Amino acid sequence: MSIEQWIDFAKGPLFALTSMIMVLGLLRHIVIQVYELVAGKGRRLSAAPWRKILNEGLGWAIPIKQIMKGTPFFSSVSYLFHIGVIVVPVFLADHIVLWEKTLGFSLPSLPSGWADFLTIFTVACVLVLLGFRLFGDRQRAMSRLTDYVLLLLILLPFVTGFLASHSGMNPFPWETMMLVHLLSAELLFLVIPFTKLAHIVLFVFDRLSAVHWQLRPGAGDKVADALFGKEARV
Amino acid sequence: MDAKQIAIGSSTRLPAVEKTPFYHIEKPVTENRGDHFLRAFAAVLEFTDYKALLDSYCTSSAKCNRCAVSCPVFMVSGDPRDIPCYRTNILLDIYKRYFTIGGAIKARLSNGFELTEEVIDDMLEVFYRCTACRRCTQSCPMGVDHGLVTRLGRYILSLIGIVPKALQVSVREQLEGETHNTSKVPKDALLDTLGFLSEELEDMVGVKMEFPVDKSNRDYVFFCAVSDYLMEPDTLMGNAAVLYAAGDWDKWTIGTTNYDGINYGLFYSDWHLENIVKQLLAEVTRLRGKNILIGECGHASRSAHDFVPVFGGPSAQPVVSFIEYTLRCLKEGRIKLDPNIITERVTYHDPCNIARSGWIVDQPREILKSFVPDYVEMTPKGQDNYCCGGGGGLVSIDEIHDYRMRIGGKVKAEQLEKTKADIVVAPCANCKKQLKELVEYYKLPCRVMGLHDLILRAIEIPGGKSPAERKEEAALLEM
């Protein structure tokens, strides 16, 4: 197979397959969460303070107050990183063509100057976040291999995409760059549902702690019965 | 702010408190604790519904570390084990490894995480270094409730016998003992105390108030932390004074079968939480009371307010905090507080259990500002306020006093010192005990009082001595 054919393969069937796995994998999380909540909590769901949960959740959409309360630099970078990482892949002009082809609908595209700026900006954000993990005492204590690998994996499609679309700066053949761009993005698609990146959908469910405080009546006694028998003592 | 906070932490970095174990355990299990833990975990997963929460948290926890700078324990200790997300991830790792397919496959492929005796020891300590104040939950962009996970960890530990003896003994007396309360106060002693309080009040305000005991069909059945009957007479007299001045003296009662609002189940066990709530409800039902009135106690207020509806169903009696009640009386003009009595500088400490959720933040401030001319706020305040360092049951564990002073409560002590207040008001039995110990330990020129202790000094009692007269008499007595 020639490299052009590889690119076509990565753009066509492989893209469809990996994005399908990503979507299904994320859907699986949603289905499991909804099922566990409905089956587990049942009528207690209606007793949860939903308005408060919603208000608090929406408060994080533009989290200026939260950012000012702690780690303002890290939090700002992290917030801006999230904007870049959502906006660039979805609204880039070259990607819109892809949406049209595979999904059948179009979206307004980013002006190319903005796209370039946002891409570089996102890459810079990733590097700063990586710096925090490498050099911040607290973060390093918490970080595991996956946390670094995922950041690099996010970096890859951004860098390769940028180089592929700027031939003047690209030291490698366009085809190679394009192929690496496609494959790295697709690899990211594959790992999203199986790693912490699944917070793309799970963040909604993480915010439901007020629902989880609606404990199940009678459960404590059953646990004690199962472990210690009916004569369970404190 | 970030860098400064870390600077505080690192400049005062202290060696971890070395004690094996961290707290006294009644009958320590020594063998196969890992197996026991997993068996207990499995039982909890089978009968409760924590699974959804664990599934979501264990996949999505991003370990961004924003929680670290919000934790008053970590700020002082600088120990990575005190980072809320780190602590949470111990339990999540166990869940992932032993209760998910992904974890099982991963364990097949490589030598990953194992639940060893060291991990048990780690949990034993870190889950009780946390004061369960849930300040970190507010700083988590994902909303991960580290307090809830820590509590779950403590719950499972308690099922294998790892629980501070101080808490276990109290809960046993409350649920299975004769007195049905945590301080082992028998009914006769309660009646004696109420008689004594009544006499004290008569001396002080010049009006006889017989405490209503076991009256049926009253609007309010009163529960406080039972230790208040032994240690906080001024708070209770303040409560009584408000009820009397508001004209509600024949509308409330204290039950004698159960008069303890304390619920340590909130800190470590679903089993105990539910049964203690039910015991409280049984007393209210016996007396055919219409509302549950909770005295000045953070966790008693929260465990009743949040869990009476959960375990008692929608028809259960409404829970009213005494602070809410007093503010209502004040707004309706049923009580009057003399603004010329309190001349000291006063600040307010928010007990985590009532403030973190935003439930009781403004009410006490509104009361205080109405009669305290020199009122100052501490920073941060309200929902963001720091824990006293004795939350989550820690204050009841005497053997960790050193930890609570040097690490858990240090940030609070510094915050308190900056206010230059003469009096810190803390409407919570646990906070009061911890703050009193902190004030003594750090030699702060500050007095710790309940909200109603202060109200008692300034409230106008119909037919009684005026607050100004009482103040003069008190001054004479002190001379």
Side-chain angles (χ1 to χ4, degrees):
Chain A
M1 245 162 71
S2 70
I3 192 152
E4 283 79 12
Q5 283 170 314
W6 272 107
I7 290 177
D8 282 343
F9 175 67
K11 266 189 186 170
L14 202 57
F15 177 76
L17 182 72
T18 51
S19 43
M20 185 79 86
I21 290 174
M22 175 178 75
V23 170
L24 288 178
L26 290 176
L27 267 177
R28 174 181 158 267
H29 282 302
I30 296 174
V31 169
I32 288 178
Q33 281 296 310
V34 171
Y35 170 77
E36 281 176 348
L37 280 170
V38 172
K41 298 286 173 192
R43 274 186 301 163
R44 273 168 296 136
L45 281 177
S46 58
W50 288 102
R51 187 177 295 267
K52 192 165 172 270
I53 293 171
L54 195 66
N55 282 340
E56 278 179 9
L58 290 177
W60 282 90
I62 303 172
I64 296 170
K65 248 195 259 164
Q66 289 90 331
I67 286 175
M68 293 320 290
K69 270 182 202 167
T71 64
F73 179 59
F74 167 79
S75 302
S76 315
V77 172
S78 174
Y79 180 69
L80 295 170
F81 158 74
H82 279 85
I83 292 179
V85 103
I86 295 167
V87 170
V88 174
V90 175
F91 295 102
L92 201 77
D94 294 335
H95 290 180
I96 302 280
V97 183
L98 208 61
W99 303 141
E100 271 176 348
K101 243 193 257 168
T102 48
L103 299 173
F105 62 84
S106 182
L107 289 165
S109 66
L110 274 177
S112 67
W114 269 95
D116 285 351
F117 169 74
L118 263 179
T119 307
I120 296 170
F121 187 79
T122 309
V123 169
C125 286
V126 175
L127 293 176
V128 173
L129 294 180
L130 204 58
F132 267 103
R133 284 223 181 265
L134 283 168
F135 303 111
D137 283 350
R138 282 177 278 118
Q139 286 227 339
R140 209 178 45 204
M142 284 290 304
S143 299
R144 297 172 198 182
L145 189 61
T146 346
D147 299 313
Y148 298 100
V149 171
L150 286 177
L151 272 177
L152 293 173
L153 200 54
I154 291 167
L155 199 60
L156 210 51
F158 277 84
V159 173
T160 51
F162 184 82
L163 290 179
S165 59
H166 294 76
S167 48
M169 290 180 227
N170 186 5
F172 305 101
W174 178 86
E175 286 80 7
T176 320
M177 208 34 89
M178 197 46 172
L179 189 59
V180 176
H181 174 66
L182 288 165
L183 292 179
S184 61
E186 283 157 3
L187 185 58
L188 198 55
F189 286 1
L190 280 182
V191 301
I192 280 174
F194 305 104
T195 58
K196 68 174 185 179
L197 300 183
H199 72 258
I200 294 174
V201 295
L202 284 176
F203 81 96
V204 176
F205 299 97
D206 280 355
R207 298 220 70 87
L208 302 184
S209 67
V211 176
H212 292 291
W213 279 103
Q214 304 283 325
L215 305 176
R216 181 186 291 184
D221 281 334
K222 282 186 191 152
V223 171
D225 285 353
L227 291 171
F228 315 121
K230 289 278 174 200
E231 295 301 303
R233 314 295 290 165
V234 174
Chain B
M1 184 178 163
D2 179 25
K4 208 173 113 210
Q5 281 174 340
I6 290 305
I8 296 173
S10 46
S11 65
T12 54
R13 188 169 294 186
L14 300 162
V17 179
E18 293 277 348
K19 242 175 217 167
T20 6
F22 191 49
Y23 41 78
H24 299 323
I25 297 168
E26 212 170 32
K27 285 181 204 137
V29 187
T30 45
E31 276 174 19
N32 294 332
R33 290 181 305 170
D35 293 344
H36 287 296
F37 188 90
L38 291 176
R39 213 175 125 239
F41 204 160
V44 168
L45 289 174
E46 185 180 347
F47 297 108
T48 64
D49 34 46
Y50 287 110
K51 212 171 162 340
L53 162 108
L54 291 167
D55 278 335
S56 186
Y57 285 1
C58 84
T59 310
S60 58
S61 157
K63 304 187 204 109
C64 73
N65 273 280
R66 285 196 81 234
C67 52
V69 291
S70 69
C71 175
V73 171
F74 176 75
M75 275 178 209
V76 179
S77 77
D79 184 341
R81 295 184 310 157
D82 289 329
I83 298 174
C85 200
Y86 178 96
R87 192 174 58 238
T88 293
N89 270 289
I90 303 177
L91 196 69
L92 294 181
D93 277 343
I94 299 172
Y95 177 72
K96 240 190 292 193
R97 165 66 182 83
Y98 296 99
F99 300 100
T100 65
I101 302 167
I105 295 172
K106 212 172 149 191
R108 264 275 154 232
L109 297 176
S110 68
N111 292 325
F113 174 84
E114 286 286 337
L115 177 57
T116 57
E117 292 295 307
E118 286 73 37
V119 177
I120 301 271
D121 282 329
D122 220 16
M123 290 196 287
L124 179 155
E125 186 172 337
V126 295
F127 286 157
Y128 282 93
R129 285 170 71 91
C130 164
T131 65
C133 78
R134 295 167 76 229
R135 197 167 185 267
C136 47
T137 297
Q138 288 183 335
S139 67
C140 179
M142 221 84 86
V144 170
D145 194 334
H146 301 290
L148 183 50
V149 178
T150 295
R151 182 180 177 281
L152 177 59
R154 289 177 174 195
Y155 177 30
I156 302 167
L157 282 179
S158 79
L159 294 171
I160 65 166
I162 298 176
V163 56
K165 188 180 169 189
L167 300 182
Q168 190 175 16
V169 168
S170 300
V171 171
R172 181 176 301 131
E173 181 60 27
Q174 193 176 18
L175 284 174
E176 292 164 2
E178 272 175 27
T179 63
H180 283 297
N181 65 70
T182 48
S183 294
K184 241 182 169 171
V185 176
K187 181 180 167 182
D188 291 346
L190 172 79
L191 296 177
D192 277 355
T193 306
L194 293 177
F196 161 79
L197 290 175
S198 176
E199 279 168 28
E200 277 282 293
L201 264 171
E202 192 177 2
D203 277 356
M204 195 186 289
V205 301
V207 173
K208 181 86 181 155
M209 305 176 203
E210 287 282 1
F211 279 78
V213 171
D214 278 342
K215 307 287 185 203
S216 295
N217 293 309
R218 293 282 164 106
D219 283 354
Y220 301 105
V221 181
F222 177 77
F223 296 88
C224 58
V226 75
S227 51
D228 281 5
Y229 289 114
L230 308 171
M231 284 151 63
E232 301 290 348
D234 282 9
T235 307
L236 293 171
M237 287 192 287
N239 291 154
V242 171
L243 282 159
Y244 184 86
D248 282 346
W249 197 253
D250 55 356
K251 290 185 180 152
W252 75 294
T253 189
I254 297 171
T256 56
T257 312
N258 186 345
Y259 33 91
D260 190 1
I262 286 179
N263 192 336
Y264 288 150
L266 182 69
F267 302 144
Y268 78 90
S269 167
D270 289 6
W271 182 26
H272 306 330
L273 177 66
E274 176 169 1
N275 286 312
I276 295 168
V277 164
K278 281 185 175 160
Q279 195 167 279
L280 183 141
L281 275 171
E283 179 69 344
V284 181
T285 306
R286 178 181 78 86
L287 296 167
R288 293 192 293 278
K290 296 188 188 76
N291 296 282
I292 301 165
L293 182 63
I294 306 285
E296 283 190 18
C297 183
H299 91 278
S301 303
R302 176 166 161 227
S303 53
H305 181 262
D306 288 9
F307 295 100
V308 161
V310 172
F311 297 124
S315 60
Q317 291 83 350
V319 174
V320 183
S321 139
F322 213 108
I323 302 171
E324 291 177 304
Y325 169 77
T326 299
L327 179 62
R328 197 167 70 224
C329 293
L330 188 68
K331 278 185 169 167
E332 290 169 359
R334 289 157 65 202
I335 56 168
K336 287 198 177 64
L337 303 174
D338 189 334
N340 303 313
I341 301 299
I342 311 296
T343 47
E344 298 98 323
R345 169 172 283 199
V346 176
T347 188
Y348 179 76
H349 161 76
D350 292 273
C352 304
N353 279 312
I354 52 176
R356 198 71 65 205
S357 63
W359 173 31
I360 291 177
V361 175
D362 297 329
Q363 299 92 324
R365 291 180 165 82
E366 209 174 324
I367 298 170
L368 283 168
K369 284 175 187 165
S370 78
F371 75 105
V372 177
D374 191 6
Y375 174 76
V376 289
E377 289 287 3
M378 45 176 80
T379 335
K381 61 170 175 144
Q383 279 183 273
D384 296 328
N385 210 330
Y386 291 125
C387 175
C388 62
L394 265 60
V395 75
S396 308
I397 309 169
D398 285 335
E399 59 271 26
I400 60 168
H401 175 266
D402 188 46
Y403 167 79
R404 283 192 278 115
M405 297 299 111
R406 291 196 302 129
I407 295 175
K410 185 161 187 280
V411 170
K412 188 86 231 172
E414 286 168 354
Q415 184 195 21
L416 204 53
E417 194 180 13
K418 281 190 197 126
T419 64
K420 306 240 181 309
D422 306 305
I423 294 174
V424 53
V425 168
C428 169
N430 283 354
C431 299
K432 268 188 270 192
K433 180 169 182 275
Q434 164 80 1
L435 288 172
K436 280 174 186 170
E437 290 175 11
L438 278 178
V439 162
E440 200 187 319
Y441 186 87
Y442 287 101
K443 303 197 169 48
L444 301 176
C446 186
R447 274 181 69 196
V448 182
M449 293 175 85
L451 177 62
H452 286 82
D453 308 34
L454 214 58
I455 289 174
L456 176 64
R457 282 163 56 179
I459 192 166
E460 288 177 15
I461 303 287
K465 300 174 201 167
S466 74
E469 277 175 84
R470 279 160 22 212
K471 193 178 177 182
E472 257 172 55
E473 281 180 14
L476 281 175
L477 275 177
E478 267 177 34
M479 271 164 68

